[in-house]
Amino acid sequence: ADLMSISAHKIYGPKGIGALIIRRGVRLSPRFIGGSQERGLRTGTENAPGIVGFGKAAEICGAVLDKEMRDLRAMRDALGERILNEIPDVKMNGSRDRRSPGLLNVSFLGCEGEALLIALDRRGFCVSTGSACSAGAVGASHVLLALGMNVMDAQAAIRFSFGRFNRLDDVNALMNVLPAIVAKQRETSTMMVR
């Protein structure tokens, strides 16, 4: 990679701080002129507390990464198995082998993802119908469509994300309500199960 940007909040660091890794030999031009910060590439006072917080978050992340990935994978896989076993007409989206340990994307055929999101939110579960970068966007995920998924299946998709503070109990709590929510949604939805 020539350039790689990293946001601290993605590893439980402070919001509003990040890093840009620049491959040796890549030349950048400053976006604003006037200051000598960051070797003349940007102006303004550096966010020293944010930088220190980002550093500490990276240190913690490095120390717990292996265990955290195992825990996230276990929760993701447990939820995926339960969904497949307890809810008919679902489609797991993405690779079964090459995927993030904390993410599971599922299309609940015959459901509207936005309606599922609202019903789960009312019960205290935070899920998404798109990428974190497009929070608030309505309609089918452009990522799922780019992967070749049809519009109806993409609109029926929900993304479940697990993090450092989730436990297997959260999977059980979700599965205590999800089958009934999906069944009710299918009764009232105008989408068809193929």
Side-chain angles (χ1 to χ4, degrees):
D2 290 334
L3 302 168
M4 181 171 37
S5 62
I6 305 167
S7 296
H9 71 273
K10 293 293 186 178
I11 60 168
Y12 303 96
K15 290 183 180 178
I17 190 72
L20 177 64
I21 299 170
I22 306 167
R23 185 176 52 82
R24 193 176 312 277
V26 171
R27 299 189 54 83
L28 298 179
S29 299
R31 295 194 54 160
F32 303 101
I33 307 296
S36 61
Q37 292 85 355
E38 304 295 336
R39 299 184 185 126
L41 289 176
R42 65 176 290 279
T43 63
T45 304
E46 293 161 342
N47 178 1
I51 293 167
V52 171
F54 189 4
K56 186 62 178 178
E59 180 184 316
I60 292 168
C61 188
V64 302
L65 186 64
D66 291 337
K67 179 187 181 317
E68 203 163 86
M69 286 180 58
R70 280 191 305 273
D71 292 347
L72 294 174
R73 234 183 249 112
M75 287 183 284
R76 178 203 65 201
D77 292 346
L79 178 59
E81 281 301 310
R82 289 203 54 194
I83 287 172
L84 286 172
N85 290 330
E86 298 176 33
I87 303 174
D89 299 315
V90 297
K91 178 181 174 188
M92 297 292 170
N93 302 317
S95 171
R96 300 283 265 168
D97 303 318
R98 299 180 58 189
R99 57 187 172 157
S100 174
L103 297 178
L104 179 67
N105 192 294
V106 182
S107 289
F108 296 91
L109 306 179
C111 292
E112 296 162 3
E114 291 292 325
L116 290 176
L117 179 145
I118 291 166
L120 287 167
D121 181 63
R122 287 182 178 152
R123 290 190 171 80
F125 296 97
C126 298
V127 299
S128 177
T129 56
S131 68
C133 300
S134 62
V138 177
S141 163
H142 69 281
V143 173
L144 295 178
L145 295 174
L147 291 171
M149 185 177 288
N150 69 57
V151 173
M152 225 158 101
D153 290 357
Q155 287 177 331
I158 295 287
R159 178 175 55 92
F160 300 95
S161 302
F162 294 98
R164 181 173 290 164
F165 305 109
N166 290 116
R167 300 290 173 257
L168 201 50
D169 289 347
D170 297 321
V171 171
N172 296 330
L174 174 63
M175 288 308 295
N176 285 338
V177 299
L178 185 59
I181 289 172
V182 170
K184 183 173 182 174
Q185 169 66 32
R186 285 177 174 158
E187 288 174 9
T188 60
S189 176
T190 58
M191 298 177 78
M192 304 288 284
V193 176
R194 288 180 285 109

